[in-house]
Amino acid sequence: REEDEAEPYKNKYEAVDLLKNLLGERAISADEPAPSAESSGNESSSVASSSVQQKFASGSPVAGCSSSAVLSTSRPLEAELAEAAVRIRCGLILLETDLLADGQSSIEAGLQPLEKNPEDYLAWLIESYNALGALYSDRGDLSVALEWLQRAEELYRRMTGTGTRHAHLV
């Protein structure tokens, strides 16, 4: 949708609210109350994780995941991947709207499941690392920015060196 000049981030805020609703977290818009009393305030990630796992496991069309999860300690479950994808996408949108601290924490919260098998999630990780590198660079924390950007570069070199291309999670 085309953005209204009077409300330049309205569509982005709506998108973030939809994603946060999937996670069972409070929406960022002031008009919308928290989904439940349980999810307001300092919510643990396990509560959010179980909420997302229930939504994605219940066959929600938003999930886009098949029902056959690989049960292995080295590979994240589909529900974990879905939650990671939602958190990262939410974080990237928040960075675009200048809600930088919220965007940073959301992206960082989504990285752990993907980092278990970085070769399988190169595109997501590169995009996330680059966004965090740019964020820290804008803040003037160049040593941290460089660390994130070097991680992105390392993954990019791995991806181009093997000749493989990986798309974002669906």
Side-chain angles (χ1 to χ4, degrees), residues 20 23-27 33-43 47-48 51:
K20 285 192 169 282
L23 295 168
E25 295 177 357
R26 183 173 177 82
S36 70
E38 216 179 81
S39 63
S40 62
N42 293 331
E43 173 182 317
V47 171
S51 171

Side-chain angles (χ1 to χ4, degrees), residues 32-120:
E32 191 170 321
S36 70
E38 216 179 81
S39 63
S40 62
N42 293 331
E43 173 182 317
S44 72
S45 63
S46 63
V47 171
S49 177
S50 67
S51 171
V52 169
Q53 287 175 4
Q54 288 173 354
K55 288 181 186 195
F56 288 103
S58 68
S60 166
V62 178
C65 298
S66 68
S67 60
S68 61
V70 178
L71 298 176
S72 167
T73 56
S74 64
R75 289 191 56 83
L77 299 174
E78 286 182 16
E80 289 178 301
L81 293 176
E83 180 180 353
V86 169
R87 288 190 184 285
I88 288 172
R89 184 56 48 213
C90 183
L92 292 170
I93 294 170
L94 287 168
L95 290 180
E96 290 177 29
T97 63
D98 292 330
L99 294 173
L100 304 179
D102 292 336
Q104 174 188 352
S105 64
S106 187
I107 291 172
E108 288 175 349
L111 289 177
Q112 186 178 13
L114 304 183
E115 289 174 331
K116 290 179 183 177
N117 290 41
E119 299 296 326
D120 293 339

